[in-house]
Amino acid sequence: MIDLLGHSGFDLRSSIVLTFSLDLPLYDGLIRRALNRAGIWNQITFCDFGCYVQDAPSHAAALYAGKHYSVTPVWQNGAFHPKVYLLLGPRHGRLLIGSGNATVGGLIRNAEVFGLFDYDGEKDAGPHSAFQSVFAFVESLAGSASDPVQKQIKSARQMAPWLAVPPVEDGRRVLIGGPGRLPLSDQVAALLPSKKSDDLIICSSSFDRALEGLRRLASMCIAKAVCIVQPEHAEIDGQSVRRVGKAIDWRPFVDPYPKEKRQRKDVRAHAKVFIFGHGKTETCIFGSANASAPALGSTNTEIVVALPQRARGSIEKHLGLGASIRAKSIEAELSQKGWQDVDSDSPADRFNCLLAAVSVSESGYRLTLVSGTPPKNALLALAQSSLSRPLATTTLRRDGNAHVGQKVSGDDAIKCAWIVDESGKRLSNSVSVTWPMVASPRKGGGGGAKIGQFLGAMQDGAVLGTILFELLDQFRDFEVIQAGSGKRGTAAKSAAQAEGKAQEQSAEFFYTDAKADAAKGHQWMGDRIDLDILASLVQPLNPAGNAEGVEDEVYDDTKLDEEAEFREIDEKKGVATGTEKPRRDPTPSDKLEAAIRRLERRLDRAATSIENALQFLENLQSLSPNGVARQIWMTHIGAFLAGRKTVSADGDEFTCLHPWYFADYVLRICRALVGSKKVGGFLDRLSKSTWEGYDGEALSRGLAFLWTCAEWAAAYMVHYYSNGEGKDELPQSIAVASAELVAARFIWKVSSHCEAPDQESLTRRFPAWETVPAKQRELTHRRLAQVVQVIQCVEGLGAKSVLGPDTQTDALKAGALVHNPITGVTMLARDAAPRAYHLVNLSQIGDEPKKFGAVVAPVLVDGKPYHLFQRTDENSAA
């Protein structure tokens, strides 16, 4: 889906997204960039009001919301449930209608079904009527939207004049259900060639408790309807399954991808498909509507596509549903499921007023309310996030039928707003502030036919394949790290209480159409802003001769030229005269240098963070797999960029990430993951169940790639400090100074979970691999194998045959391989002294070696003491 949104090759300017759940950090960090690269600057999004309110805590991670794109929550009694992605330009259009929300699950992970409509004004006689139907529906939503959003929608129509061209049909129909419209089930029935179909196949991810929607569909069929569900994820009431009885034949979802091609281990069946068979033909309906009463009636807003009649069985074959249909019945399993009653937590029950938007205008902050009226002395709170203290509060006044807050100075930092009373109590939900610049024309990120060549050159598909699929197999959403102990500090608690009922999202929220559950106990909101790091890290890749496709914001730590241009336009009341300062080429040398420095800092901070956490290791009883996730994730990203060349607009060649920084990061991470013998490392805190099932397999696969990186990093550092650029330097990190020891202990630890290092497609995934001479890589490989064998013999099997007497230790030099009961197999950090040895303890925080007393024995290889690479002041002159 990300490819379809960003790689059309069309000349596009506007996008309109209709979604139930909206993962704002995902949109901000990835979807927005994909649309920018397609040339789209006018970005409009509508989502369900309840989901918007529940996901408010994540809005702080959406840095460009309200400025580079608008978000409008839609309030209605039922769910606002469509999943539509409409892209428009002067001569081209693309429309995707399906089942996937603008979330990780909907666009990247789930099994979803979409329909694609394209329009090329240079080739096609006219657009499909679907474009006009969807855009007319969007215009109906504009009535409850803010002024900037209304301007955006008006601009979208003006920039796509072909929307008024008479349509050209191909037999497909778009059906829209919702409040004030004919029930969706009646619209579907009107398309069928007979009142009742011969048979019916249903794919659905959600149902109403009484299965009324399923019964309604089944009543449209003569034979028993087949319903394909994913029992481990679908919420179904077992009693209702028993009541339905033989009217429904329940089948499990079987992933249609061949096993050897599957990229997703925990795929979720989120598609909504109804296939009505009649005679030799069949009619297929797919889109956003589940087999539930609200979806098939007029309660929810739903948008589906009805295909023209096709040969019987063609849809089943096309979607690969055969294995699911032929699978054994799961009726017995479903009949035992229980329905979880949850307390209704409608925003209307929580707040006096429901706020859909706060937009900035000349007169002040203009409020768009969908319910309630602010009391006389109400104030507008303005803040950086929904959980932070207000930066300012301002009085409200009536302006006709609208409420307007007085302007405040220094409002650049303001991102969120909500209504409070004089005591500061919240009276409304919080919303992202929408600025006039969101509707101002500006240069997109590049597009047209060149974008395909650009993305091919930067191997964007390789990034998605390597990172978004392989690493997301390990963790079920982008919440890839859990910080601290899971306890919130006082300030965070106060902010959460001030929000009313600040809620945290379960993984279900990002995969399905489930509402977010209330937070239970002490939980920690995952650092989903790391998605922005991912998007930033893959951006510096820019092939020579084409700088159009990389957006400038990725590289600039300061305010963008684009922002300055927006302000100039804003000062002229939204009029772009053409005299504004033109955009500079988006990838000059200084921008690339800033991006590279930022990447280096991020890797260093990530390594420093886990090293500092070693102080808590002994008191840590268990660790969530998410605690290891970020390290593997960053390793894949770093490996992809290490040693990769790029050329700036000024013609200067840069290395996206110098191999030293990546090798430094890898060794420091490996040091913290495995540690030394007695205390161990963070890998030792993973429970046994972590290594079981699909997630365990995926975690092992991720560590197998880190194994490859660790062996390379050791070889790199040995070469760098012995014969390379750093032969006159001293490393600051004990992990780098003890590179062979760190790599060997890591390999020994993970070899029980990984059969071999992952060295597949290294030239693509790891361009720095060949920066180390092949001779050095081979030598390091052999030496590490020897040390791993020693560790296995002494610590794994408990054999001491390779250990010499402690009387031989006094003459050992720094770097000698030794054994101590606490540290296990380690090395001397400094030359031996009688009854006093400075040993490398990888579990100890800091980079200073710890002084140990006796009980140290030399490790002998072929009967002689074995020396590892060690680069400290002890041997700097060697």
Side-chain angles (χ1 to χ4, degrees), residues 289-547:
N290 284 296
S292 68
L296 297 174
S298 298
T299 304
N300 290 357
T301 294
E302 310 279 1
I303 299 184
V304 300
V305 177
L307 297 181
Q309 294 182 30
R310 298 192 178 190
R312 190 74 165 270
S314 60
I315 300 297
E316 171 193 329
K317 182 179 179 181
H318 184 72
L319 297 182
L321 296 176
S324 298
I325 295 172
R326 293 188 294 272
K328 294 182 179 179
S329 172
I330 55 171
E331 180 179 354
E333 178 182 352
L334 294 177
S335 65
Q336 300 302 313
K337 290 177 69 73
W339 185 273
Q340 295 183 351
D341 289 311
V342 293
D343 295 333
S344 175
D345 191 21
S346 168
D349 298 331
R350 295 169 52 192
F351 301 108
N352 302 75
C353 305
L354 297 184
L355 191 59
V358 172
S359 57
V360 181
S361 65
E362 288 185 349
S363 58
Y365 302 96
R366 183 170 293 271
L367 279 60
T368 303
L369 291 159
V370 295
S371 176
T373 301
K376 184 177 181 181
N377 296 322
L379 303 170
L380 184 66
L382 304 166
Q384 288 182 315
S385 75
S386 64
L387 295 180
S388 63
R389 293 179 180 274
L391 297 173
T393 55
T394 183
T395 56
L396 291 174
R397 59 181 173 82
R398 293 295 297 265
D399 182 9
N401 295 325
H403 291 80
V404 179
Q406 184 177 351
K407 269 289 193 70
V408 299
S409 60
D411 58 2
D412 286 352
I414 293 171
K415 292 182 60 180
C416 295
W418 60 90
I419 303 172
V420 298
D421 63 15
E422 291 178 299
S423 67
K425 178 184 176 182
R426 293 194 184 223
L427 302 179
S428 80
N429 58 289
S430 64
V431 297
S432 295
V433 175
T434 305
W435 298 76
M437 65 180 66
V438 78
S440 301
R442 61 185 185 272
K443 182 178 179 180
K450 293 182 179 180
I451 193 66
Q453 300 172 1
F454 166 72
L455 290 165
M458 70 179 278
Q459 295 183 320
D460 191 72
V463 174
L464 293 179
T466 300
I467 300 168
L468 296 184
F469 281 119
E470 290 186 16
L471 298 181
L472 283 175
D473 273 339
Q474 302 164 41
F475 309 99
R476 299 182 184 276
D477 55 42
F478 271 112
E479 295 179 274
V480 295
I481 182 173
Q482 293 187 354
S485 62
K487 298 179 181 178
R488 290 183 175 181
T490 303
K493 289 181 181 178
S494 300
Q497 292 168 356
E499 173 68 8
K501 289 185 179 180
Q503 292 184 319
E504 297 186 13
Q505 274 57 299
S506 65
E508 304 295 326
F509 180 75
F510 299 102
Y511 278 79
T512 69
D513 293 329
K515 296 277 188 178
D517 297 323
K520 298 178 181 178
H522 293 294
Q523 297 182 354
W524 190 280
M525 179 171 294
D527 185 11
R528 287 168 58 227
I529 199 170
D530 275 352
L531 177 59
D532 186 64
I533 295 176
L534 166 63
S536 296
L537 293 185
V538 300
Q539 288 299 319
L541 310 180
N542 183 39
N546 189 347

